Amino acid sequence: MLCTSRGSLCHDLADTIQVIHYLYRAIAAPLFLNPSMSPMHPIVWILAFGFQVMNALSIGGYLAGYGPTSQQYWASRSEFMFVGLVIWCWGLLGNMFHDDDLREIRRAANRKQQREAKESGKPAESVDKIYMIPKNGLFRYVLHAHYLCEWIEWAGWWMIGGWAFHPGRNFLINEITTMLPRALQGKRWYEKKFGKDKLEGRKAVIPGVL
């Protein structure tokens, strides 16, 4: 059975916002915004590539026809699609804001070192390993606000596809289960480097909880 107009609209919406996210995350960020990223081990790249292939097949199959295709189903979900899109947009904007706030730490250090080098007549040192505690936006409450915003983003995407959108749900669960341990490890790193008192009660990723 071919998808109805409402079903096609949802499919197009789900596809479009996923493309927008990955244009930012997979192209703009590593190539233009984060040119000094640390080297990645080939095994990490291979595992990530394998996951994305399986993820794409799962999502594509659902949207191509394995998921709901009736007009009645999509007509009953118009409000949820709108709410999901709003949640996704706020999550993406929050993700981009907090990513840029982390980059600003390095940019500020670079400007400072360039200014000091100009005054002293000596070449500026690399700022690739400059670390500070971010303090803007949700960073006032958690140390990995960009992770939290990414989860919010994909929760909205899941809502657009519907609660029965199993690939969307599985993707969100995979994100949380892989990023949460990294956030907890990151908090321990911050505590070791700066001391617990410097964190001022910040949690790892969920404000007031974890």
Side-chain angles (χ1 to χ4, degrees):
M1 178 179 179
L2 294 177
C3 294
T4 64
S5 59
R6 284 185 180 271
S8 297
L9 175 62
C10 179
H11 297 171
D12 292 343
L13 181 61
D15 288 340
T16 300
I17 63 178
Q18 187 178 27
V19 169
I20 291 172
H21 171 87
Y22 280 105
L23 284 174
Y24 165 70
R25 178 62 69 202
I27 297 178
L31 294 181
F32 306 108
L33 302 177
N34 301 327
S36 59
M37 292 177 62
S38 299
M40 181 182 297
H41 195 282
I43 293 179
V44 175
W45 185 91
I46 292 171
L47 291 175
F49 179 80
F51 169 79
Q52 290 298 353
V53 169
M54 297 301 296
N55 185 50
L57 289 173
S58 177
I59 294 169
Y62 185 92
L63 296 178
Y66 286 102
T69 57
S70 68
Q71 184 175 8
Q72 292 77 11
Y73 176 85
W74 295 112
S76 66
R77 298 203 62 264
S78 298
E79 294 79 9
F80 291 99
M81 290 169 60
F82 174 77
V83 173
L85 179 60
V86 171
I87 292 174
W88 179 85
C89 287
W90 277 111
L92 177 64
L93 291 174
N95 197 345
M96 296 172 71
F97 171 84
H98 292 98
D99 277 350
D100 192 66
D101 193 53
L102 291 175
R103 287 190 290 267
E104 179 58 24
I105 292 175
R106 186 169 296 173
R107 289 196 296 259
N110 183 53
R111 290 193 296 268
K112 179 181 179 181
Q113 291 191 8
Q114 292 292 342
R115 184 173 61 252
E116 292 176 347
K118 185 177 180 180
E119 293 174 353
S120 65
K122 299 179 181 179
E125 298 178 359
S126 171
V127 297
D128 290 351
K129 299 301 180 182
I130 293 294
Y131 297 106
M132 296 176 62
I133 301 175
K135 298 181 179 180
N136 295 318
L138 292 176
F139 281 128
R140 289 176 291 191
Y141 311 102
V142 294
L143 295 167
H144 296 82
H146 47 318
Y147 288 6
L148 176 61
C149 289
E150 180 129 348
W151 299 349
I152 293 172
E153 182 183 351
W154 291 114
W157 188 66
W158 175 23
M159 185 179 292
I160 289 173
W163 298 118
F165 181 24
H166 305 307
R169 177 202 61 197
N170 294 341
F171 183 65
L172 177 61
I173 291 173
N174 278 318
E175 282 224 325
I176 293 174
T177 55
T178 55
M179 296 167 75
L180 180 57
R182 289 165 57 190
L184 296 175
Q185 182 183 25
K187 184 185 178 187
R188 291 192 293 269
W189 180 88
Y190 273 104
E191 291 175 344
K192 182 178 179 180
K193 186 171 184 64
F194 299 101
K196 290 186 177 181
D197 57 322
K198 296 292 185 180
L199 301 185
E200 300 176 338
R202 289 177 177 82
K203 298 296 185 180
V205 66
I206 302 176
V209 179
L210 186 64

